[in-house]
Amino acid sequence: MKLFVRDLTVIDASYLCPQRGMVGESWILDVVMSGELNEMSMVLDFSRVKKQIKQLVDQYVDHRLLIPSASAAIQTAATKEGYMTVDLISDQHAIHLHSPEQAFCFIDTDAITIESVTEYVQQLLLGHLPSNVQGLEITLRHEKIDGAFYHYSHGLKKHDGNCQRIAHGHRSPVELVVNGQRNAELEQQWAQRWHDIYLGSQEDVISVSELNLSAAAANINDETHYGFRYTAPQGEFELAIAKSATEILATDTTVELLASYIAEQVKPQLIATDRLDVFAYEGVGKGAMVTLD
């Protein structure tokens, strides 16, 4: 007997890649389990499986920075108790972090792909399910998006959950509606502008020389990189990332403020009497909208 749950949860995370830098992603998780019926004539109660699997995924994968620990481009080191540095060594995309260990997810692979993350999640879940569950099949997939989308990473220091981690992200569509009609050209402009972008807040910017980074960051400076530091409930977070892969906002980077920011940037390009509706998404199926007349 097989039990399936589609759209069980969404993994919103970022990962490090020598070719792309820091990449925000959103994967929808489906699961199929096989096994013998229990005393309740079930393989597993739906409410229980959803809660149990989602709890494990949220605890170990979601809203973390995924690190391909077998990659030659990655260096890591423990620092003070509960903290570590992570370095992506790349001529184009050098990235350096110092954060609590719980902000990272290490996957034994040389590259983060949908396949390597699927295998990691499957192995994570094995051994945590009831004994009558004999088979487990995990599927990660992208949302089908009709139109433009971008990959962005950020951190929300004021958030009381895992969104406070300085390097997590999303794969998000954007919809720009001018006078009731979607404008594909404007949407594509934003997809290109925020392709693999890190969105930082001005108040968190600090000289990279003041960050507590590893020796691998010795060659970067304020000409090439932005430094970010903030303290949140989970601890102190530090990041140095290339300016070419970053956009600085005067505000926090919540989806509500991102929608307002996009609207304020786009509106001057339009005729004064045009109505603009911005639908900014935060991953799959959720987001914020702003209207400017």
Side-chain angles (χ1 to χ4, degrees):
M1 179 66 67
K2 291 188 176 182
L3 176 73
F4 66 89
V5 183
R6 295 177 181 149
D7 304 313
L8 189 150
T9 190
V10 174
I11 297 173
D12 287 307
S14 291
Y15 66 89
L16 294 184
C17 172
Q19 292 74 39
R20 296 177 63 184
M22 186 183 294
V23 184
E25 266 294 4
S26 297
W27 292 300
I28 301 168
L29 173 64
D30 303 323
V31 61
V32 177
M33 289 166 293
S34 59
E36 300 298 325
L37 299 183
N38 61 19
E39 66 278 4
M40 296 182 290
S41 300
M42 300 177 180
V43 175
L44 191 63
D45 180 79
F46 272 107
S47 61
R48 182 179 176 185
V49 69
K50 291 178 70 174
K51 181 178 180 181
Q52 192 168 5
I53 292 178
K54 187 177 188 309
Q55 183 178 30
L56 287 165
V57 171
D58 287 352
Q59 182 177 355
Y60 292 104
V61 187
D62 190 50
H63 282 76
R64 292 189 180 223
L65 181 63
L66 311 184
I67 311 296
S69 57
S71 170
I74 296 296
Q75 296 182 12
T76 66
T79 58
K80 59 185 179 181
E81 183 177 0
Y83 282 75
M84 64 187 312
T85 56
V86 171
D87 302 287
L88 173 64
I89 310 302
S90 168
D91 291 339
Q92 186 177 359
H93 297 290
I95 296 172
H96 308 277
L97 300 104
H98 184 220
S99 296
E101 294 176 358
Q102 63 186 334
F104 305 114
C105 171
F106 293 94
I107 298 180
D108 186 18
T109 180
D110 60 2
I112 298 296
T113 64
I114 197 167
E115 293 79 15
S116 63
V117 178
T118 298
E119 176 64 21
Y120 177 82
V121 173
Q122 180 149 334
Q123 293 302 316
L124 173 68
L125 297 178
L126 289 174
H128 289 87
L129 298 176
S131 58
N132 65 303
V133 176
Q134 300 166 351
L136 177 67
E137 179 183 343
I138 296 297
T139 300
L140 295 181
R141 56 185 169 86
H142 284 127
E143 174 191 21
K144 293 182 179 179
I145 297 175
D146 179 23
F149 62 90
Y150 44 69
H151 299 258
Y152 77 93
S153 302
H154 66 156
L156 301 175
K157 62 180 176 296
K158 298 172 186 175
H159 196 271
D160 59 2
N162 293 336
C163 290
Q164 68 190 258
R165 294 167 180 167
I166 200 167
H168 74 276
H170 313 274
R171 174 183 181 265
S172 300
V174 59
E175 298 172 11
L176 301 177
V177 182
V178 180
N179 299 325
Q181 299 292 323
R182 284 185 63 179
N183 189 308
E185 182 179 354
L186 286 173
E187 292 174 359
Q188 189 58 39
Q189 287 177 14
W190 279 91
Q192 294 174 355
R193 178 170 171 171
W194 280 1
H195 174 70
D196 296 346
I197 197 74
Y198 185 82
L199 301 177
S201 298
Q202 181 62 54
E203 67 180 12
D204 301 326
V205 175
I206 188 172
S207 172
V208 296
S209 65
E210 298 181 56
L211 297 175
N212 298 298
L213 303 177
S214 75
N219 293 328
I220 68 170
N221 56 56
D222 291 332
E223 296 296 318
T224 62
H225 282 64
Y226 284 116
F228 297 95
R229 175 194 287 160
Y230 62 70
T231 300
Q234 290 184 3
E236 188 172 86
F237 294 85
E238 297 179 292
L239 165 68
I241 188 166
K243 289 187 172 182
S244 60
T246 307
E247 186 159 336
I248 303 294
L249 279 68
T251 65
D252 291 329
T253 58
T254 63
V255 70
E256 296 90 340
L257 292 175
L258 294 183
S260 295
Y261 179 75
I262 294 172
E264 291 165 0
Q265 295 281 306
V266 171
K267 183 63 172 169
Q269 303 177 45
L270 307 177
I271 299 172
T273 55
D274 284 342
R275 172 191 170 100
L276 172 65
D277 295 295
V278 175
F279 297 82
Y281 288 77
E282 186 181 65
V284 178
K286 64 184 189 300
M289 62 175 295
V290 171
T291 297
L292 294 181
D293 292 312

